[in-house]
Amino acid sequence: MPSQVLCKCASCRKHTVILDNVPQAGCLVSFTTRRSHEKRAVSTPPRPVSPSPRQKPTSSRPPNQQEVSSHPMDIIFPSSTVIKMICILVVWLHIWAGISRSVVNTILKAFQLIISMTLQLIEAALCSSGISIRFPDLAIPQDIWTAYARHFLEPEIICTVCCPTCFSLYPQPAPIKCQWKESPRSRSCNTDLWKSKNTSKGPKMVPRRLYSTQSFDTWLQFFLSWKVIVDSLAGAFHQRGNRPAAFGGDMCDVQDSPAWQDLTGIFSTPITI
Ligand SMILES: [Zn+2]
Ligand SMILES: [Zn+2]
């Protein structure tokens, strides 16, 4: 009803209307009615409200506003989407734009301050108009690796220590010295597997030879988490049926091979888990 306006005069404040899903003190009246209410309020000063025993004696607010503000309305707010967008931005800044970890961590803290302050200002501005709302708390990660781990699948890295003398492999935690023996009765290799390295935080023991490999299972999960990969696999899988290759005919790629063609009968989808 566009012809109606919200009147918040002393008598209309005793009622509550719902505007845009937010309860507000006041009445929806015509513009002329509100003018007459305003004139009446100016001519008759409001009577002092005697505080009821349940009300706090220090409160100077009208009872209706007190009632509204004591039950702030929780606003449904896509906070997880906002946090995800911020995380994607800082991960992009760190990985693609080459911004250092300490700088992106400062950016994360700045985002937390700016957004919390903005929401508080909105709450305060609406509260001064008699609309009491409450936004959910935004918990933005304070560190880039928390932001990364929360929104991106990361392949698992397996670290393996290798003996520089006999090339025996040890999963972490590796022993101090190599224990490999050529035969049960021969002496062990006994090569030091660790060395001291000076770092900014003092000397630290590090493996003399360390190999890092990706876990295939988590790498495959990471690889298949990309929509473009899954779409390409599906495209290649369905394309195969359209090009039946004759045995002994020209093969341009692996999809033309008869062995690949035979897979059609085994699998009905490109990804079988
Ligand atoms: Zn009124
Ligand atoms: Zn060894």
Side-chain angles (χ1 to χ4, degrees):
M1 280 175 280
S3 60
Q4 291 204 302
V5 290
L6 183 69
C7 179
K8 296 167 92 60
C9 74
S11 60
C12 290
R13 286 192 77 91
K14 290 172 186 162
H15 304 277
T16 307
V17 287
I18 308 288
L19 281 182
D20 293 330
N21 295 325
V22 179
Q24 300 191 36
C27 271
L28 280 178
V29 292
S30 70
F31 188 74
T32 47
T33 313
R34 189 172 78 173
R35 285 280 298 275
S36 68
H37 284 192
E38 281 167 359
K39 280 179 188 165
R40 189 178 63 189
V42 170
S43 58
T44 55
R47 279 182 294 158
V49 181
S50 57
S52 65
R54 271 188 287 172
Q55 275 184 314
K56 288 177 193 168
T58 52
S59 171
S60 59
R61 284 175 169 180
N64 207 330
Q65 194 175 350
Q66 178 78 29
E67 191 191 344
V68 169
S69 59
S70 62
H71 298 288
M73 189 184 180
D74 286 318
I75 298 295
I76 309 297
F77 177 74
S79 53
S80 59
T81 313
V82 173
I83 294 172
K84 188 174 183 180
M85 287 193 297
I86 292 169
C87 288
I88 290 170
L89 172 67
V90 292
V91 167
W92 180 84
L93 281 173
H94 184 56
I95 291 174
W96 280 92
I99 309 286
S100 73
R101 184 180 173 184
S102 63
V103 172
V104 289
N105 286 353
T106 309
I107 293 173
L108 279 170
K109 290 184 182 84
F111 267 123
Q112 175 79 66
L113 276 173
I114 291 167
I115 293 177
S116 304
M117 184 58 74
T118 309
L119 295 181
Q120 279 178 23
L121 285 174
I122 294 171
E123 284 176 1
L126 290 175
C127 189
S128 68
S129 312
I131 306 163
S132 187
I133 57 161
R134 189 172 55 199
F135 288 109
D137 288 334
L138 267 193
I140 297 172
Q142 298 290 295
D143 186 78
I144 179 69
W145 291 120
T146 315
Y148 192 88
R150 205 177 281 182
H151 296 288
F152 295 87
L153 265 174
E154 210 175 355
E156 185 188 337
I157 305 293
I158 301 165
C159 294
T160 312
V161 176
C162 178
C163 171
T165 308
C166 69
F167 306 108
S168 297
L169 297 174
Y170 294 93
Q172 295 265 42
I176 303 293
K177 289 179 185 290
C178 179
Q179 295 160 351
W180 181 78
K181 289 177 183 177
E182 196 166 8
S183 69
R185 297 187 63 184
S186 61
R187 292 175 62 182
S188 60
C189 166
N190 225 25
T191 307
D192 282 331
L193 296 176
W194 297 77
K195 65 178 178 183
S196 178
K197 188 183 175 188
N198 286 322
T199 65
S200 57
K201 292 174 184 169
K204 184 186 166 192
M205 292 302 283
V206 293
R208 289 178 67 190
R209 197 163 287 184
L210 182 74
Y211 293 112
S212 300
T213 46
Q214 280 188 11
S215 152
F216 180 74
D217 289 358
T218 56
W219 174 83
L220 193 62
Q221 273 185 29
F222 171 76
F223 186 68
L224 294 177
S225 70
W226 294 80
K227 188 176 180 299
V228 62
I229 299 294
V230 176
D231 289 349
S232 302
L233 281 172
F237 185 83
H238 294 300
Q239 190 187 33
R240 194 184 51 192
N242 303 336
R243 299 193 299 179
F247 191 81
D250 284 344
M251 286 190 273
C252 298
D253 62 30
V254 69
Q255 293 177 35
D256 294 334
S257 77
W260 187 274
Q261 297 291 321
D262 286 346
L263 292 173
T264 317
I266 303 171
F267 303 114
S268 56
T269 61
I271 303 166
T272 305
I273 298 165

